[in-house]
Amino acid sequence: MWRITVANTCIASGSCVGIAPERFELDDVAGRAHPLTTDVDPDEAVLDAVASCPMEAISVVDLATGEPVEV
Ligand code: SF4
């Protein structure tokens, strides 16, 4: 299981939402994106979203090891 976190450095570019709309959505009030579900099964689309983020604001941790998931 992975845990997805979006830092407050997010600038709401929407890249993650465009790449993985089933994983991320934009919160217009907060002015940033957030994961639809925080804890998910491993999913390549999440890593694609991480790689697309211009602010490197998305982090993914493997809950089994506590280590960051490499993109
Ligand atoms: S790609 Fe990064 S900066 Fe853009 S909305 Fe997603 S988390 Fe925010």
Side-chain angles (χ1 to χ4, degrees):
M1 199 71 122
W2 289 353
R3 176 159 296 164
I4 306 168
T5 308
V6 176
N8 60 11
T9 50
C10 169
I11 57 170
S13 71
S15 299
C16 58
V17 180
I19 286 174
E22 71 285 5
R23 295 302 186 195
F24 297 91
E25 69 178 359
L26 282 175
D27 182 332
D28 292 333
V29 176
R32 64 192 226 200
H34 62 252
L36 287 167
T37 305
T38 304
D39 296 347
V40 301
D41 289 325
D43 180 354
E44 280 295 319
V46 172
L47 299 185
D48 291 344
V50 170
S52 81
C53 178
M55 300 304 291
E56 299 183 359
I58 306 169
S59 40
V60 182
V61 169
D62 185 333
L63 292 176
T65 64
E67 296 293 327
V69 176
E70 298 294 333
V71 176

